[in-house]
Amino acid sequence: MNFGQFLLRRLFLMIIVLFGVACIVFFIANIIPADPVGAILGGNAPPEAINRLKAKLGYDQPLIIRFGNFIAGALRGDFGVSLKTSNPVMKDIMNYFPATMELAIVAIIISIFLGITLGVLSAVHRNKAIDQFSRIFSILGVSMPVFWIGLLLLLVFYFKLGWLPGGGRLGFFTYPPPRVTGMYLIDSALAGQWDTFKEALLHILLPAFVLGYNATASIARITRASMLDVLKQDFIRTAKSKGLKRNVVIYRHALRNSMIPTITIIGLVFGGLLEGAVLTETVFSWPGLGRYITTGMLFLDYPAVMGGTLYIAFIYSLANLIVDILYALLDPRMRM
């Protein structure tokens, strides 16, 4: 299979996945016993007002017609109008998504740095204290709930020690930087507002660590396993026998050849960070897409929930596609 066929196959599979997500999200939102029209107008609304709003929102049409309209709109990037904000859902997504993307980017940077460092140290110092620490750290990362870690770190670093701020992206009396990307760190740096940049960085550290903790554990485990496998290879023994320095053998030869599995898991967990930001954003009052979807669920804002969920599924599938392409370029055997 050549690279073009490989890419077309992955694109086709991505389309199937997105269509399946759209079907599941739509039918769950329309089957659950809840009435968004009644939630908007209240229980004492007259039947005429209820019927008019149902007709306006399209809820008076058959389910299959509404599904077709939803798919057609999604293909155009139109998810309807939010019942809570009265804005087009796509406009709300573009307002909230930069905060989620910024949080995920900082989280993946922290995860890559800590995960690869712990993985390499664990493999090099196998069964020693640093290896035992890395194992415990990884087990806790994959087993503890995100919201519990967030509340615990808030209790320690915000309430007790006062080293880091609590929720939100900036302090209450700080104005956001001029909007360019919607990411405060980038926008404040572009505007030269370094005090705002520092404040935004301090606000993002706790939620980014909490969001990326699970990813850090996964990266550390994969890096350790891959490094241990590479360190047993003949070319490593040859490099050592030539008298190369230990750090050269580890970082130039062993680490470079063990990075393919790590690159794969990094791409996968980055998509997972976008998906798993809901709890983190709720705990830290982070005004991102996850919190927007959560609020939509509480207010029975089905267009917001369906549009936001499908958008996150698209980003997640796109991240997987990019990882598949990079993997196929690095290892042609994957195309088979």
Side-chain angles (χ1 to χ4, degrees), residues 6 30 34 38 63 76-77 92 104-105 117 127 133 152 185 240 244 248 292 303 305 307 324:
F6 174 84
N30 285 272
L63 190 63
R76 301 191 306 269
D92 284 342
I105 290 174
T117 301
N127 295 327
F133 170 79
L152 180 64
L185 292 175
K240 291 180 179 178
L244 294 178
V248 174
Y292 172 72
V305 173
D324 285 342

Side-chain angles (χ1 to χ4, degrees), residues 177-178 186-194:
I186 296 177
D187 291 351
S188 58
L190 292 175
Q193 299 178 358
W194 299 111

Side-chain angles (χ1 to χ4, degrees), residues 26-281:
F26 177 84
F27 286 106
I28 288 179
N30 285 272
I31 289 176
I32 59 175
D35 183 14
V37 175
I40 295 173
L41 298 178
N44 297 323
E48 297 81 6
I50 294 177
N51 293 332
R52 282 198 302 269
L53 186 57
K54 282 185 176 181
K56 179 180 179 181
L57 299 177
Y59 289 140
D60 59 337
Q61 298 177 346
L63 190 63
I64 190 65
I65 300 297
R66 288 157 53 192
F67 177 69
N69 293 335
F70 173 69
I71 295 296
L75 293 175
R76 301 191 306 269
D78 179 12
F79 299 112
V81 177
S82 169
L83 304 182
K84 181 177 183 295
T85 66
S86 300
N87 295 326
V89 172
M90 198 61 190
K91 180 180 178 181
D92 284 342
I93 289 175
M94 291 298 101
N95 287 333
Y96 286 99
F97 184 69
T100 298
M101 178 60 77
E102 182 179 44
L103 182 61
I105 290 174
V106 177
I108 197 65
I109 291 174
I110 295 174
S111 301
I112 291 172
F113 175 76
L114 292 179
I116 293 179
T117 301
L118 285 175
V120 171
L121 292 176
S122 297
V124 173
H125 304 283
R126 186 179 182 183
N127 295 327
K128 295 183 180 179
I130 185 63
D131 188 23
Q132 302 298 334
F133 170 79
S134 178
R135 291 181 184 180
I136 296 173
F137 183 85
S138 299
I139 291 174
L140 293 177
V142 298
S143 61
M144 289 194 301
V146 171
F147 71 90
W148 188 84
I149 301 175
L151 294 174
L152 180 64
L153 292 183
L154 277 175
L155 176 64
V156 174
F157 291 100
Y158 174 57
F159 289 105
K160 297 295 185 181
L161 300 177
W163 291 355
L164 293 172
R169 302 179 71 185
L170 289 172
F172 186 76
F173 297 103
T174 304
Y175 288 100
R179 185 183 178 94
V180 178
T181 64
M183 303 181 192
Y184 285 179
L185 292 175
I186 296 177
D187 291 351
S188 58
L190 292 175
Q193 299 178 358
W194 299 111
D195 290 338
T196 304
F197 177 87
K198 180 181 178 181
E199 187 170 341
L201 181 61
L202 291 176
H203 273 80
I204 203 173
L205 285 179
L206 271 185
F209 177 80
V210 171
L211 180 62
Y213 188 15
N214 183 271
T216 301
S218 300
I219 293 172
R221 294 168 68 189
I222 292 295
T223 302
R224 179 184 183 274
S226 183
M227 279 287 293
L228 287 175
D229 183 62
V230 171
L231 288 172
K232 299 175 183 176
Q233 301 298 318
D234 292 337
F235 72 92
I236 296 295
R237 286 192 289 269
T238 301
K240 291 180 179 178
S241 66
K242 288 181 177 180
L244 294 178
K245 293 182 179 180
R246 186 167 180 264
N247 288 340
V248 174
V249 174
I250 293 173
Y251 295 105
R252 180 177 296 179
H253 296 280
L255 181 59
R256 177 181 293 181
N257 286 277
S258 65
M259 283 303 292
I260 288 182
T262 304
I263 291 174
T264 304
I265 196 66
I266 288 172
L268 296 177
V269 299
F270 181 71
L273 293 179
L274 297 174
E275 174 190 8
V278 176
L279 290 176
T280 305
E281 291 178 357

Side-chain angles (χ1 to χ4, degrees), residues 15-31 63-64 67-68 70-71 74 306 309-310 313:
I15 292 173
I16 292 178
V17 169
L18 290 176
F19 181 75
V21 172
C23 293
I24 294 173
V25 169
F26 177 84
F27 286 106
I28 288 179
N30 285 272
I31 289 176
L63 190 63
I64 190 65
F67 177 69
F70 173 69
I71 295 296
M306 293 188 295
T309 304
L310 191 57

